[in-house]
């Protein structure tokens, strides 16, 4: 249950991040500079966490498969797009589409066990639950 609570907090952070970075982008007149600033702050925080928890892991980076580094490009894409688009369509609407994409991608990753994930087949019940979540998120954003 503690893992669920941590992930709930991470989920709460996504729209907060979107709103803060969108506001920063508007304030300084550049979504790209706002995104870059976010990454500098994130790098410092992640480096401190790495040094405190497992400093030897950095030495193992060269042996990691190169495709595993694409996560950095994906988070950059997310931050750049949410910073740019949230002020235009609203944080709630932007996060709605992010959540919808997350539901679809998570179901595919779990179903096929992609990237070493635990396989959790997409049953009719699970697909219905995901569809219900998507509809629920849609209704929360319906004007």
């Amino acid at each position: 249950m503690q893992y669920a609570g941590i992930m709930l907090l991470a989920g709460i952070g996504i729209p907060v991040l979107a709103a803060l970075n969108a506001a920063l982008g508007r304030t300084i007149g550049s979504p790209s500079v706002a995104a870059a600033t976010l990454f500098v702050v994130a790098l410092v925080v992640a480096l401190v966490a790495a040094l405190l928890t497992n400093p030897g892991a950095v030495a193992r980076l060269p042996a990691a498969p190169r495709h595993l580094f694409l996560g950095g490009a994906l988070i950059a894409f997310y931050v750049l797009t949410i910073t740019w688009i949230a002020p235009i369509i609203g944080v709630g609407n932007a996060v709605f589409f992010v959540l919808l994409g997350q539901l679809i991608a998570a179901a595919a990753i779990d179903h096929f066990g992609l990237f070493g994930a635990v396989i959790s087949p997409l049953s009719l019940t699970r697909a219905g639950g995901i569809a219900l979540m998507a509809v629920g998120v849609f209704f929360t954003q319906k004007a």
Side-chain angles (χ1 to χ4, degrees):
M1 192 58 165
Q2 84 183 44
Y3 295 130
I6 292 168
M7 295 315 301
L8 180 64
L9 289 174
I12 290 168
I14 290 174
V16 172
L17 173 158
L20 290 172
N21 232 46
L24 179 60
R26 276 192 317 271
T27 300
I28 63 174
S30 174
S32 299
V33 173
T37 303
L38 177 141
F39 288 119
V40 169
V41 173
L43 175 64
V44 170
V45 171
L47 283 175
V48 169
L51 291 173
L52 292 174
T53 60
N54 192 351
V58 173
R60 293 188 295 276
L61 277 174
R66 295 291 173 241
H67 73 279
L68 298 180
F69 294 99
L70 289 175
L74 292 171
I75 196 64
F77 177 72
Y78 167 73
V79 170
L80 285 164
T81 57
I82 200 85
T83 303
W84 173 46
I85 294 173
I88 298 168
I89 67 171
V91 171
N93 287 325
V95 171
F96 161 74
F97 287 107
V98 170
L99 289 173
L100 186 58
Q102 286 177 330
L103 290 171
I104 294 165
I109 289 168
D110 286 351
H111 181 76
F112 295 108
L114 301 175
F115 316 113
V118 174
I119 294 176
S120 180
L122 185 62
S123 65
L124 190 56
T125 302
R126 189 159 182 240
I130 291 168
L132 186 60
M133 288 172 64
V135 169
V137 171
F138 171 77
F139 281 126
T140 66
Q141 296 308 310
K142 193 84 171 133

